Amino acid sequence: MTWIAPDLERTETPLVADERTMLRAWLDRHRDTLLWKCAGLDGEQLRTRAVEPSTMSLLGLVRHMTEVERGWFRCAAAGQDLAYVYCSEDNPDGDFADVADADPEATFAAFRAEIAQADAAVAALPLDYTFRHRWRADDDYSLRWVYLHMIEEYARHNGHADLLRERIDGFTGD
């Protein structure tokens, strides 16, 4: 049986809430939007690099955002010493480059698991918490900055996902 990316309802964002709740809701909305752009597609479609010469695919975007979630929330903000899931020093573009044989179902599961672990890793940290990134050690970052950066990162890549999806099957959405 061929695995198909599942449908989902995207997270609604509150119109009035405290800052942490608002940031998290918007981040969750963007996380959901990436998966929503993949809904109904099979592995071959998810692997399709629909905008040549780019190596970007919907599956690559899910893999990339798994790495970004881990990198900013768990490794940087929470200080966990973890290897990346798809990328390495020898293969820095493994998230996008190595999708030909990637298992979409496992990729989606890894993405969802990373989000849960990322959220748990920073749950007790205040937004004003500051840290240094191991690869950008000259600058201090706040957890607030990470939330805003992640919303921006997803928004940018969800725009890419719009174009990829439209090229694959004509689907467009908000």
Side-chain angles (χ1 to χ4, degrees):
M1 183 174 167
T2 301
W3 184 83
I4 303 293
D7 289 329
L8 74 135
E9 292 292 321
R10 291 184 291 168
T11 303
E12 292 297 324
T13 56
L15 300 177
V16 177
D18 65 89
E19 183 181 17
R20 181 81 173 240
T21 301
M22 190 72 74
L23 290 171
R24 174 70 189 275
W26 275 103
L27 179 57
D28 285 343
R29 173 85 175 175
H30 281 288
R31 289 165 165 168
D32 289 349
T33 297
L34 179 58
L35 295 180
W36 183 70
K37 291 293 176 182
C38 298
L41 298 179
D42 64 25
E44 182 179 332
Q45 291 169 310
L46 291 167
R47 290 183 198 96
T48 300
R49 294 174 170 146
V51 185
E52 294 179 3
S54 174
T55 61
M56 195 176 295
S57 65
L58 289 168
L59 191 61
L61 285 172
V62 173
R63 290 163 56 101
H64 175 68
M65 292 312 298
T66 302
E67 299 289 47
V68 176
E69 291 273 354
R70 176 173 286 208
W72 278 110
F73 285 117
R74 293 178 68 200
C75 295
Q80 297 176 3
D81 187 17
L82 302 168
Y84 282 103
V85 180
Y86 306 107
C87 299
S88 66
E89 202 170 299
D90 296 334
N91 188 11
D93 297 320
D95 47 0
F96 287 113
D98 298 339
V99 298
D101 297 322
D103 177 347
E105 186 174 13
T107 297
F108 277 58
F111 176 71
R112 289 182 181 276
E114 192 60 48
I115 288 171
Q117 292 170 341
D119 289 344
V122 299
L125 300 175
L127 292 175
D128 289 332
Y129 175 76
T130 60
F131 58 90
R132 296 246 168 149
H133 192 296
R134 64 184 177 194
W135 295 298
R136 301 174 184 178
D138 292 339
D139 296 311
D140 290 324
Y141 294 89
S142 71
L143 182 58
R144 178 180 289 103
W145 183 92
V146 173
Y147 273 101
L148 291 168
H149 171 67
M150 291 297 291
I151 292 166
E152 174 274 329
E153 179 96 2
Y154 273 102
R156 183 166 34 93
H157 287 313
N158 284 337
H160 297 137
D162 281 337
L163 295 173
L164 290 164
R165 180 66 190 252
E166 187 173 10
R167 292 285 306 214
I168 291 167
D169 69 356
F171 175 78
T172 59
D174 59 359

PDB file of all heavy atoms in Angstrom, residues 136-168:
ATOM      1  N   ARG A 136      27.601  30.146  16.030  1.00  0.00           N
ATOM      2  CA  ARG A 136      27.559  31.607  15.938  1.00  0.00           C
ATOM      3  C   ARG A 136      27.847  32.185  17.318  1.00  0.00           C
ATOM      4  O   ARG A 136      27.076  32.960  17.854  1.00  0.00           O
ATOM      5  CB  ARG A 136      26.188  32.060  15.446  1.00  0.00           C
ATOM      6  CG  ARG A 136      25.832  31.494  14.097  1.00  0.00           C
ATOM      7  CD  ARG A 136      24.410  31.846  13.732  1.00  0.00           C
ATOM      8  NE  ARG A 136      24.043  31.218  12.481  1.00  0.00           N
ATOM      9  CZ  ARG A 136      22.860  31.317  11.938  1.00  0.00           C
ATOM     10  NH1 ARG A 136      21.921  32.023  12.523  1.00  0.00           N
ATOM     11  NH2 ARG A 136      22.594  30.725  10.807  1.00  0.00           N
ATOM     12  N   ALA A 137      28.967  31.811  17.865  1.00  0.00           N
ATOM     13  CA  ALA A 137      29.285  32.072  19.270  1.00  0.00           C
ATOM     14  C   ALA A 137      29.579  33.531  19.602  1.00  0.00           C
ATOM     15  O   ALA A 137      29.769  33.861  20.769  1.00  0.00           O
ATOM     16  CB  ALA A 137      30.451  31.190  19.705  1.00  0.00           C
ATOM     17  N   ASP A 138      29.605  34.402  18.628  1.00  0.00           N
ATOM     18  CA  ASP A 138      29.871  35.818  18.909  1.00  0.00           C
ATOM     19  C   ASP A 138      28.613  36.598  19.266  1.00  0.00           C
ATOM     20  O   ASP A 138      28.705  37.760  19.652  1.00  0.00           O
ATOM     21  CB  ASP A 138      30.543  36.482  17.706  1.00  0.00           C
ATOM     22  CG  ASP A 138      31.945  35.960  17.463  1.00  0.00           C
ATOM     23  OD1 ASP A 138      32.546  35.404  18.408  1.00  0.00           O
ATOM     24  OD2 ASP A 138      32.433  36.089  16.330  1.00  0.00           O
ATOM     25  N   ASP A 139      27.458  35.993  19.126  1.00  0.00           N
ATOM     26  CA  ASP A 139      26.206  36.714  19.350  1.00  0.00           C
ATOM     27  C   ASP A 139      25.357  36.032  20.419  1.00  0.00           C
ATOM     28  O   ASP A 139      25.340  34.806  20.531  1.00  0.00           O
ATOM     29  CB  ASP A 139      25.388  36.773  18.051  1.00  0.00           C
ATOM     30  CG  ASP A 139      26.095  37.560  16.963  1.00  0.00           C
ATOM     31  OD1 ASP A 139      26.548  38.678  17.247  1.00  0.00           O
ATOM     32  OD2 ASP A 139      26.192  37.041  15.834  1.00  0.00           O
ATOM     33  N   ASP A 140      24.639  36.840  21.173  1.00  0.00           N
ATOM     34  CA  ASP A 140      23.648  36.333  22.110  1.00  0.00           C
ATOM     35  C   ASP A 140      22.291  36.314  21.410  1.00  0.00           C
ATOM     36  O   ASP A 140      21.971  37.217  20.635  1.00  0.00           O
ATOM     37  CB  ASP A 140      23.544  37.236  23.341  1.00  0.00           C
ATOM     38  CG  ASP A 140      24.768  37.155  24.221  1.00  0.00           C
ATOM     39  OD1 ASP A 140      25.340  36.057  24.350  1.00  0.00           O
ATOM     40  OD2 ASP A 140      25.151  38.186  24.789  1.00  0.00           O
ATOM     41  N   TYR A 141      21.520  35.282  21.680  1.00  0.00           N
ATOM     42  CA  TYR A 141      20.171  35.144  21.138  1.00  0.00           C
ATOM     43  C   TYR A 141      19.207  34.978  22.299  1.00  0.00           C
ATOM     44  O   TYR A 141      19.561  34.398  23.317  1.00  0.00           O
ATOM     45  CB  TYR A 141      20.061  33.899  20.243  1.00  0.00           C
ATOM     46  CG  TYR A 141      20.878  33.989  18.989  1.00  0.00           C
ATOM     47  CD1 TYR A 141      22.200  33.554  18.970  1.00  0.00           C
ATOM     48  CD2 TYR A 141      20.338  34.499  17.823  1.00  0.00           C
ATOM     49  CE1 TYR A 141      22.957  33.639  17.817  1.00  0.00           C
ATOM     50  CE2 TYR A 141      21.091  34.582  16.662  1.00  0.00           C
ATOM     51  CZ  TYR A 141      22.405  34.149  16.665  1.00  0.00           C
ATOM     52  OH  TYR A 141      23.150  34.227  15.525  1.00  0.00           O
ATOM     53  N   SER A 142      17.992  35.451  22.112  1.00  0.00           N
ATOM     54  CA  SER A 142      16.950  35.195  23.107  1.00  0.00           C
ATOM     55  C   SER A 142      16.006  34.136  22.549  1.00  0.00           C
ATOM     56  O   SER A 142      15.888  33.964  21.325  1.00  0.00           O
ATOM     57  CB  SER A 142      16.168  36.467  23.425  1.00  0.00           C
ATOM     58  OG  SER A 142      15.337  36.834  22.337  1.00  0.00           O
ATOM     59  N   LEU A 143      15.316  33.458  23.437  1.00  0.00           N
ATOM     60  CA  LEU A 143      14.316  32.490  22.998  1.00  0.00           C
ATOM     61  C   LEU A 143      13.217  33.202  22.206  1.00  0.00           C
ATOM     62  O   LEU A 143      12.704  32.658  21.231  1.00  0.00           O
ATOM     63  CB  LEU A 143      13.736  31.743  24.194  1.00  0.00           C
ATOM     64  CG  LEU A 143      12.713  30.661  23.865  1.00  0.00           C
ATOM     65  CD1 LEU A 143      13.287  29.605  22.923  1.00  0.00           C
ATOM     66  CD2 LEU A 143      12.197  30.032  25.147  1.00  0.00           C
ATOM     67  N   ARG A 144      12.895  34.429  22.582  1.00  0.00           N
ATOM     68  CA  ARG A 144      11.915  35.219  21.833  1.00  0.00           C
ATOM     69  C   ARG A 144      12.360  35.360  20.375  1.00  0.00           C
ATOM     70  O   ARG A 144      11.571  35.187  19.442  1.00  0.00           O
ATOM     71  CB  ARG A 144      11.758  36.604  22.464  1.00  0.00           C
ATOM     72  CG  ARG A 144      10.795  37.524  21.712  1.00  0.00           C
ATOM     73  CD  ARG A 144      10.679  38.897  22.380  1.00  0.00           C
ATOM     74  NE  ARG A 144       9.943  38.789  23.637  1.00  0.00           N
ATOM     75  CZ  ARG A 144      10.518  38.793  24.857  1.00  0.00           C
ATOM     76  NH1 ARG A 144      11.836  38.915  24.981  1.00  0.00           N
ATOM     77  NH2 ARG A 144       9.784  38.685  25.932  1.00  0.00           N
ATOM     78  N   TRP A 145      13.647  35.669  20.179  1.00  0.00           N
ATOM     79  CA  TRP A 145      14.192  35.794  18.818  1.00  0.00           C
ATOM     80  C   TRP A 145      14.023  34.485  18.067  1.00  0.00           C
ATOM     81  O   TRP A 145      13.661  34.488  16.882  1.00  0.00           O
ATOM     82  CB  TRP A 145      15.676  36.184  18.866  1.00  0.00           C
ATOM     83  CG  TRP A 145      16.257  36.382  17.504  1.00  0.00           C
ATOM     84  CD1 TRP A 145      16.326  37.549  16.800  1.00  0.00           C
ATOM     85  CD2 TRP A 145      16.831  35.380  16.650  1.00  0.00           C
ATOM     86  NE1 TRP A 145      16.905  37.332  15.569  1.00  0.00           N
ATOM     87  CE2 TRP A 145      17.220  36.004  15.463  1.00  0.00           C
ATOM     88  CE3 TRP A 145      17.046  34.013  16.788  1.00  0.00           C
ATOM     89  CZ2 TRP A 145      17.825  35.316  14.409  1.00  0.00           C
ATOM     90  CZ3 TRP A 145      17.633  33.319  15.742  1.00  0.00           C
ATOM     91  CH2 TRP A 145      18.019  33.966  14.571  1.00  0.00           C
ATOM     92  N   VAL A 146      14.257  33.348  18.724  1.00  0.00           N
ATOM     93  CA  VAL A 146      14.129  32.049  18.063  1.00  0.00           C
ATOM     94  C   VAL A 146      12.697  31.830  17.595  1.00  0.00           C
ATOM     95  O   VAL A 146      12.469  31.413  16.456  1.00  0.00           O
ATOM     96  CB  VAL A 146      14.599  30.896  18.970  1.00  0.00           C
ATOM     97  CG1 VAL A 146      14.310  29.540  18.328  1.00  0.00           C
ATOM     98  CG2 VAL A 146      16.087  31.029  19.274  1.00  0.00           C
ATOM     99  N   TYR A 147      11.729  32.120  18.451  1.00  0.00           N
ATOM    100  CA  TYR A 147      10.334  31.965  18.029  1.00  0.00           C
ATOM    101  C   TYR A 147      10.040  32.828  16.801  1.00  0.00           C
ATOM    102  O   TYR A 147       9.429  32.359  15.831  1.00  0.00           O
ATOM    103  CB  TYR A 147       9.369  32.333  19.159  1.00  0.00           C
ATOM    104  CG  TYR A 147       9.051  31.183  20.076  1.00  0.00           C
ATOM    105  CD1 TYR A 147       9.674  31.064  21.306  1.00  0.00           C
ATOM    106  CD2 TYR A 147       8.112  30.219  19.716  1.00  0.00           C
ATOM    107  CE1 TYR A 147       9.378  30.011  22.162  1.00  0.00           C
ATOM    108  CE2 TYR A 147       7.813  29.163  20.561  1.00  0.00           C
ATOM    109  CZ  TYR A 147       8.452  29.068  21.779  1.00  0.00           C
ATOM    110  OH  TYR A 147       8.160  28.016  22.621  1.00  0.00           O
ATOM    111  N   LEU A 148      10.453  34.071  16.838  1.00  0.00           N
ATOM    112  CA  LEU A 148      10.198  34.955  15.696  1.00  0.00           C
ATOM    113  C   LEU A 148      10.937  34.479  14.444  1.00  0.00           C
ATOM    114  O   LEU A 148      10.377  34.493  13.337  1.00  0.00           O
ATOM    115  CB  LEU A 148      10.597  36.391  16.044  1.00  0.00           C
ATOM    116  CG  LEU A 148       9.697  37.053  17.082  1.00  0.00           C
ATOM    117  CD1 LEU A 148      10.328  38.355  17.583  1.00  0.00           C
ATOM    118  CD2 LEU A 148       8.306  37.290  16.525  1.00  0.00           C
ATOM    119  N   HIS A 149      12.165  34.044  14.617  1.00  0.00           N
ATOM    120  CA  HIS A 149      12.932  33.523  13.477  1.00  0.00           C
ATOM    121  C   HIS A 149      12.260  32.278  12.895  1.00  0.00           C
ATOM    122  O   HIS A 149      12.163  32.129  11.670  1.00  0.00           O
ATOM    123  CB  HIS A 149      14.365  33.194  13.904  1.00  0.00           C
ATOM    124  CG  HIS A 149      15.119  32.475  12.840  1.00  0.00           C
ATOM    125  ND1 HIS A 149      15.465  33.067  11.645  1.00  0.00           N
ATOM    126  CD2 HIS A 149      15.576  31.196  12.782  1.00  0.00           C
ATOM    127  CE1 HIS A 149      16.107  32.182  10.889  1.00  0.00           C
ATOM    128  NE2 HIS A 149      16.183  31.041  11.563  1.00  0.00           N
ATOM    129  N   MET A 150      11.781  31.396  13.748  1.00  0.00           N
ATOM    130  CA  MET A 150      11.138  30.179  13.261  1.00  0.00           C
ATOM    131  C   MET A 150       9.849  30.487  12.510  1.00  0.00           C
ATOM    132  O   MET A 150       9.553  29.864  11.485  1.00  0.00           O
ATOM    133  CB  MET A 150      10.877  29.222  14.427  1.00  0.00           C
ATOM    134  CG  MET A 150      12.139  28.632  15.025  1.00  0.00           C
ATOM    135  SD  MET A 150      13.083  27.613  13.873  1.00  0.00           S
ATOM    136  CE  MET A 150      11.961  26.227  13.692  1.00  0.00           C
ATOM    137  N   ILE A 151       9.082  31.448  12.980  1.00  0.00           N
ATOM    138  CA  ILE A 151       7.876  31.862  12.261  1.00  0.00           C
ATOM    139  C   ILE A 151       8.267  32.391  10.887  1.00  0.00           C
ATOM    140  O   ILE A 151       7.647  32.040   9.873  1.00  0.00           O
ATOM    141  CB  ILE A 151       7.078  32.897  13.082  1.00  0.00           C
ATOM    142  CG1 ILE A 151       6.486  32.234  14.329  1.00  0.00           C
ATOM    143  CG2 ILE A 151       5.996  33.568  12.226  1.00  0.00           C
ATOM    144  CD1 ILE A 151       5.967  33.207  15.377  1.00  0.00           C
ATOM    145  N   GLU A 152       9.306  33.200  10.834  1.00  0.00           N
ATOM    146  CA  GLU A 152       9.792  33.730   9.553  1.00  0.00           C
ATOM    147  C   GLU A 152      10.298  32.606   8.657  1.00  0.00           C
ATOM    148  O   GLU A 152      10.021  32.585   7.449  1.00  0.00           O
ATOM    149  CB  GLU A 152      10.902  34.758   9.822  1.00  0.00           C
ATOM    150  CG  GLU A 152      11.595  35.292   8.595  1.00  0.00           C
ATOM    151  CD  GLU A 152      12.761  34.435   8.121  1.00  0.00           C
ATOM    152  OE1 GLU A 152      13.430  33.789   8.942  1.00  0.00           O
ATOM    153  OE2 GLU A 152      12.993  34.420   6.888  1.00  0.00           O
ATOM    154  N   GLU A 153      11.045  31.688   9.204  1.00  0.00           N
ATOM    155  CA  GLU A 153      11.606  30.567   8.431  1.00  0.00           C
ATOM    156  C   GLU A 153      10.487  29.720   7.821  1.00  0.00           C
ATOM    157  O   GLU A 153      10.523  29.377   6.646  1.00  0.00           O
ATOM    158  CB  GLU A 153      12.492  29.713   9.337  1.00  0.00           C
ATOM    159  CG  GLU A 153      13.110  28.525   8.651  1.00  0.00           C
ATOM    160  CD  GLU A 153      14.515  28.760   8.152  1.00  0.00           C
ATOM    161  OE1 GLU A 153      15.068  29.841   8.367  1.00  0.00           O
ATOM    162  OE2 GLU A 153      15.066  27.833   7.532  1.00  0.00           O
ATOM    163  N   TYR A 154       9.493  29.397   8.632  1.00  0.00           N
ATOM    164  CA  TYR A 154       8.353  28.633   8.099  1.00  0.00           C
ATOM    165  C   TYR A 154       7.588  29.438   7.056  1.00  0.00           C
ATOM    166  O   TYR A 154       7.180  28.882   6.031  1.00  0.00           O
ATOM    167  CB  TYR A 154       7.403  28.211   9.216  1.00  0.00           C
ATOM    168  CG  TYR A 154       7.764  26.906   9.866  1.00  0.00           C
ATOM    169  CD1 TYR A 154       8.399  26.886  11.103  1.00  0.00           C
ATOM    170  CD2 TYR A 154       7.466  25.688   9.264  1.00  0.00           C
ATOM    171  CE1 TYR A 154       8.728  25.687  11.717  1.00  0.00           C
ATOM    172  CE2 TYR A 154       7.786  24.484   9.874  1.00  0.00           C
ATOM    173  CZ  TYR A 154       8.420  24.491  11.091  1.00  0.00           C
ATOM    174  OH  TYR A 154       8.743  23.302  11.700  1.00  0.00           O
ATOM    175  N   ALA A 155       7.362  30.717   7.309  1.00  0.00           N
ATOM    176  CA  ALA A 155       6.608  31.532   6.347  1.00  0.00           C
ATOM    177  C   ALA A 155       7.301  31.535   4.991  1.00  0.00           C
ATOM    178  O   ALA A 155       6.649  31.372   3.948  1.00  0.00           O
ATOM    179  CB  ALA A 155       6.433  32.951   6.882  1.00  0.00           C
ATOM    180  N   ARG A 156       8.615  31.690   5.008  1.00  0.00           N
ATOM    181  CA  ARG A 156       9.381  31.688   3.752  1.00  0.00           C
ATOM    182  C   ARG A 156       9.272  30.339   3.054  1.00  0.00           C
ATOM    183  O   ARG A 156       8.980  30.250   1.856  1.00  0.00           O
ATOM    184  CB  ARG A 156      10.840  32.042   4.048  1.00  0.00           C
ATOM    185  CG  ARG A 156      11.719  32.155   2.838  1.00  0.00           C
ATOM    186  CD  ARG A 156      13.049  32.837   3.163  1.00  0.00           C
ATOM    187  NE  ARG A 156      13.559  32.546   4.481  1.00  0.00           N
ATOM    188  CZ  ARG A 156      14.421  31.545   4.754  1.00  0.00           C
ATOM    189  NH1 ARG A 156      14.820  30.753   3.783  1.00  0.00           N
ATOM    190  NH2 ARG A 156      14.868  31.367   5.980  1.00  0.00           N
ATOM    191  N   HIS A 157       9.491  29.272   3.807  1.00  0.00           N
ATOM    192  CA  HIS A 157       9.456  27.941   3.195  1.00  0.00           C
ATOM    193  C   HIS A 157       8.037  27.503   2.841  1.00  0.00           C
ATOM    194  O   HIS A 157       7.860  26.737   1.885  1.00  0.00           O
ATOM    195  CB  HIS A 157      10.150  26.925   4.091  1.00  0.00           C
ATOM    196  CG  HIS A 157      11.641  27.086   4.080  1.00  0.00           C
ATOM    197  ND1 HIS A 157      12.373  27.230   2.921  1.00  0.00           N
ATOM    198  CD2 HIS A 157      12.528  27.128   5.098  1.00  0.00           C
ATOM    199  CE1 HIS A 157      13.650  27.353   3.216  1.00  0.00           C
ATOM    200  NE2 HIS A 157      13.778  27.301   4.544  1.00  0.00           N
ATOM    201  N   ASN A 158       7.036  28.003   3.542  1.00  0.00           N
ATOM    202  CA  ASN A 158       5.666  27.697   3.137  1.00  0.00           C
ATOM    203  C   ASN A 158       5.336  28.373   1.806  1.00  0.00           C
ATOM    204  O   ASN A 158       4.536  27.841   1.025  1.00  0.00           O
ATOM    205  CB  ASN A 158       4.675  28.077   4.234  1.00  0.00           C
ATOM    206  CG  ASN A 158       4.681  27.079   5.369  1.00  0.00           C
ATOM    207  OD1 ASN A 158       5.074  25.929   5.209  1.00  0.00           O
ATOM    208  ND2 ASN A 158       4.252  27.515   6.537  1.00  0.00           N
ATOM    209  N   GLY A 159       5.948  29.505   1.532  1.00  0.00           N
ATOM    210  CA  GLY A 159       5.815  30.115   0.204  1.00  0.00           C
ATOM    211  C   GLY A 159       6.435  29.229  -0.864  1.00  0.00           C
ATOM    212  O   GLY A 159       5.873  29.049  -1.951  1.00  0.00           O
ATOM    213  N   HIS A 160       7.613  28.654  -0.547  1.00  0.00           N
ATOM    214  CA  HIS A 160       8.217  27.694  -1.477  1.00  0.00           C
ATOM    215  C   HIS A 160       7.293  26.497  -1.674  1.00  0.00           C
ATOM    216  O   HIS A 160       7.118  26.006  -2.792  1.00  0.00           O
ATOM    217  CB  HIS A 160       9.569  27.194  -0.939  1.00  0.00           C
ATOM    218  CG  HIS A 160      10.592  28.260  -0.806  1.00  0.00           C
ATOM    219  ND1 HIS A 160      11.411  28.354   0.293  1.00  0.00           N
ATOM    220  CD2 HIS A 160      10.942  29.292  -1.597  1.00  0.00           C
ATOM    221  CE1 HIS A 160      12.224  29.379   0.156  1.00  0.00           C
ATOM    222  NE2 HIS A 160      11.951  29.968  -0.981  1.00  0.00           N
ATOM    223  N   ALA A 161       6.707  26.022  -0.566  1.00  0.00           N
ATOM    224  CA  ALA A 161       5.808  24.866  -0.640  1.00  0.00           C
ATOM    225  C   ALA A 161       4.600  25.172  -1.525  1.00  0.00           C
ATOM    226  O   ALA A 161       4.138  24.290  -2.268  1.00  0.00           O
ATOM    227  CB  ALA A 161       5.359  24.451   0.763  1.00  0.00           C
ATOM    228  N   ASP A 162       4.093  26.400  -1.476  1.00  0.00           N
ATOM    229  CA  ASP A 162       2.990  26.797  -2.360  1.00  0.00           C
ATOM    230  C   ASP A 162       3.363  26.576  -3.823  1.00  0.00           C
ATOM    231  O   ASP A 162       2.595  26.002  -4.598  1.00  0.00           O
ATOM    232  CB  ASP A 162       2.652  28.283  -2.189  1.00  0.00           C
ATOM    233  CG  ASP A 162       1.808  28.596  -0.982  1.00  0.00           C
ATOM    234  OD1 ASP A 162       1.111  27.705  -0.488  1.00  0.00           O
ATOM    235  OD2 ASP A 162       1.857  29.760  -0.536  1.00  0.00           O
ATOM    236  N   LEU A 163       4.532  27.060  -4.187  1.00  0.00           N
ATOM    237  CA  LEU A 163       4.967  26.944  -5.586  1.00  0.00           C
ATOM    238  C   LEU A 163       5.207  25.496  -5.987  1.00  0.00           C
ATOM    239  O   LEU A 163       4.815  25.068  -7.076  1.00  0.00           O
ATOM    240  CB  LEU A 163       6.243  27.762  -5.807  1.00  0.00           C
ATOM    241  CG  LEU A 163       6.099  29.264  -5.643  1.00  0.00           C
ATOM    242  CD1 LEU A 163       7.466  29.936  -5.706  1.00  0.00           C
ATOM    243  CD2 LEU A 163       5.179  29.838  -6.701  1.00  0.00           C
ATOM    244  N   LEU A 164       5.855  24.740  -5.104  1.00  0.00           N
ATOM    245  CA  LEU A 164       6.106  23.331  -5.399  1.00  0.00           C
ATOM    246  C   LEU A 164       4.798  22.568  -5.576  1.00  0.00           C
ATOM    247  O   LEU A 164       4.628  21.813  -6.540  1.00  0.00           O
ATOM    248  CB  LEU A 164       6.938  22.698  -4.285  1.00  0.00           C
ATOM    249  CG  LEU A 164       8.396  23.149  -4.203  1.00  0.00           C
ATOM    250  CD1 LEU A 164       9.002  22.764  -2.866  1.00  0.00           C
ATOM    251  CD2 LEU A 164       9.201  22.580  -5.348  1.00  0.00           C
ATOM    252  N   ARG A 165       3.872  22.762  -4.658  1.00  0.00           N
ATOM    253  CA  ARG A 165       2.602  22.049  -4.719  1.00  0.00           C
ATOM    254  C   ARG A 165       1.825  22.423  -5.969  1.00  0.00           C
ATOM    255  O   ARG A 165       1.253  21.555  -6.651  1.00  0.00           O
ATOM    256  CB  ARG A 165       1.769  22.335  -3.456  1.00  0.00           C
ATOM    257  CG  ARG A 165       0.430  21.629  -3.420  1.00  0.00           C
ATOM    258  CD  ARG A 165       0.602  20.111  -3.337  1.00  0.00           C
ATOM    259  NE  ARG A 165      -0.637  19.391  -3.526  1.00  0.00           N
ATOM    260  CZ  ARG A 165      -1.293  18.749  -2.562  1.00  0.00           C
ATOM    261  NH1 ARG A 165      -0.824  18.744  -1.324  1.00  0.00           N
ATOM    262  NH2 ARG A 165      -2.392  18.106  -2.838  1.00  0.00           N
ATOM    263  N   GLU A 166       1.807  23.683  -6.310  1.00  0.00           N
ATOM    264  CA  GLU A 166       1.082  24.103  -7.514  1.00  0.00           C
ATOM    265  C   GLU A 166       1.678  23.462  -8.759  1.00  0.00           C
ATOM    266  O   GLU A 166       0.950  23.055  -9.668  1.00  0.00           O
ATOM    267  CB  GLU A 166       1.085  25.626  -7.633  1.00  0.00           C
ATOM    268  CG  GLU A 166       0.215  26.122  -8.765  1.00  0.00           C
ATOM    269  CD  GLU A 166       0.069  27.629  -8.799  1.00  0.00           C
ATOM    270  OE1 GLU A 166       0.788  28.326  -8.050  1.00  0.00           O
ATOM    271  OE2 GLU A 166      -0.757  28.104  -9.592  1.00  0.00           O
ATOM    272  N   ARG A 167       2.994  23.331  -8.797  1.00  0.00           N
ATOM    273  CA  ARG A 167       3.652  22.693  -9.946  1.00  0.00           C
ATOM    274  C   ARG A 167       3.373  21.197 -10.002  1.00  0.00           C
ATOM    275  O   ARG A 167       3.337  20.606 -11.078  1.00  0.00           O
ATOM    276  CB  ARG A 167       5.158  22.925  -9.899  1.00  0.00           C
ATOM    277  CG  ARG A 167       5.627  24.337 -10.107  1.00  0.00           C
ATOM    278  CD  ARG A 167       5.539  24.760 -11.522  1.00  0.00           C
ATOM    279  NE  ARG A 167       6.252  23.806 -12.349  1.00  0.00           N
ATOM    280  CZ  ARG A 167       6.920  24.105 -13.428  1.00  0.00           C
ATOM    281  NH1 ARG A 167       6.983  25.337 -13.841  1.00  0.00           N
ATOM    282  NH2 ARG A 167       7.523  23.178 -14.133  1.00  0.00           N
ATOM    283  N   ILE A 168       3.177  20.579  -8.850  1.00  0.00           N
ATOM    284  CA  ILE A 168       2.944  19.132  -8.807  1.00  0.00           C
ATOM    285  C   ILE A 168       1.541  18.779  -9.272  1.00  0.00           C
ATOM    286  O   ILE A 168       1.357  17.912 -10.126  1.00  0.00           O
ATOM    287  CB  ILE A 168       3.200  18.577  -7.385  1.00  0.00           C
ATOM    288  CG1 ILE A 168       4.703  18.659  -7.083  1.00  0.00           C
ATOM    289  CG2 ILE A 168       2.687  17.153  -7.238  1.00  0.00           C
ATOM    290  CD1 ILE A 168       5.050  18.444  -5.610  1.00  0.00           C
TER     291      ILE A 168
END
